[in-house]
Amino acid sequence: MARDFDGTDGVLHTGSVISTATDNITMSAWVRHKSAGNSRGAFHNGSRDAGSGTGYGIWVAFVSPNYLVQFDLAFVANARGTTALTDSVWYHIVGLRDAGTSKVYLNGVTEGTTTASAPNAPANKTSIGSPIHTDDTLFRPFKGDVAECGF
C-alpha cells in the first residue's frame, strides 16, 4: 500500500532501527516524488541532524535543475543516479552496500556507485517519509508517495 506524504509533517517510524549493520545491506522502496525544491528522504534507517547523522537511506536528491535517486550514507558518501526523474511517476529504487562499495539502482539499472568508509552505525529509528533527528523532529520530509519499503 502506498502512503502519501505532504513534505511537511508526515512520517511512519519504528521505535528503534531495524538493523545496525553498516555493510552487506540492501534496502528498497517504490517512490513517486512531487517537486519540493530540495533533497528529500523517502526511507531511512538511522538519524539525521544538521552536519551529522547515522545509517543510510533512499533519497530523491535535488541537483538543479533535476531530481535524481540517491543512496545516502549519512554524511559519509552518496551513490547518486544520473537519470532525471519525472514528477508523479513511480520508480523502484534500491540502495546497497557490500564490501565497502555502495550502489543505487533505478528500475533495476545501476545508476551510481561509490566507495567510502562505512557510515556510522544506525541509531534512533527507521522511518518512511522523512529521516528523523535525534531529538525526534523531521529532517527534509518527503513530498510524494512511498510504497513497499524493505530491507
Side-chain angles (χ1 to χ4, degrees):
M1 174 190 294
R3 178 73 184 240
D4 180 36
F5 296 96
D6 64 9
T8 58
D9 60 3
V11 67
L12 299 171
H13 65 81
T14 61
S16 60
V17 292
I18 288 177
S19 172
T20 58
T22 58
D23 209 2
N24 302 319
I25 52 172
T26 303
M27 63 190 309
S28 67
W30 283 91
V31 301
R32 179 170 59 182
H33 86 101
K34 299 170 187 168
S35 293
N38 207 337
S39 298
R40 305 287 179 139
F43 180 32
H44 195 78
N45 189 50
S47 64
R48 286 300 290 261
D49 291 306
S52 67
T54 69
Y56 32 84
I58 291 174
W59 286 64
V60 172
F62 180 64
V63 181
S64 186
N66 299 312
Y67 291 91
L68 310 170
V69 296
Q70 178 173 291
F71 182 52
D72 178 78
L73 304 175
F75 295 98
V76 173
N78 300 314
R80 184 178 291 156
T82 57
T83 300
L85 304 181
T86 302
D87 278 4
S88 300
V89 172
W90 281 104
Y91 295 98
H92 186 242
I93 303 171
V94 174
L96 72 83
R97 181 171 167 79
D98 182 39
T101 299
S102 298
K103 296 181 181 182
V104 65
Y105 295 84
L106 178 65
N107 295 333
V109 177
T110 305
E111 275 281 307
T113 302
T114 189
T115 55
S117 58
N120 295 322
N124 199 19
K125 295 175 173 62
T126 298
S127 56
I128 300 168
S130 177
I132 299 176
H133 290 284
T134 52
D135 68 2
D136 286 338
T137 58
L138 306 185
F139 181 78
R140 294 196 180 172
F142 191 74
K143 184 175 182 183
D145 303 302
V146 182
E148 299 184 27
C149 297
F151 279 93

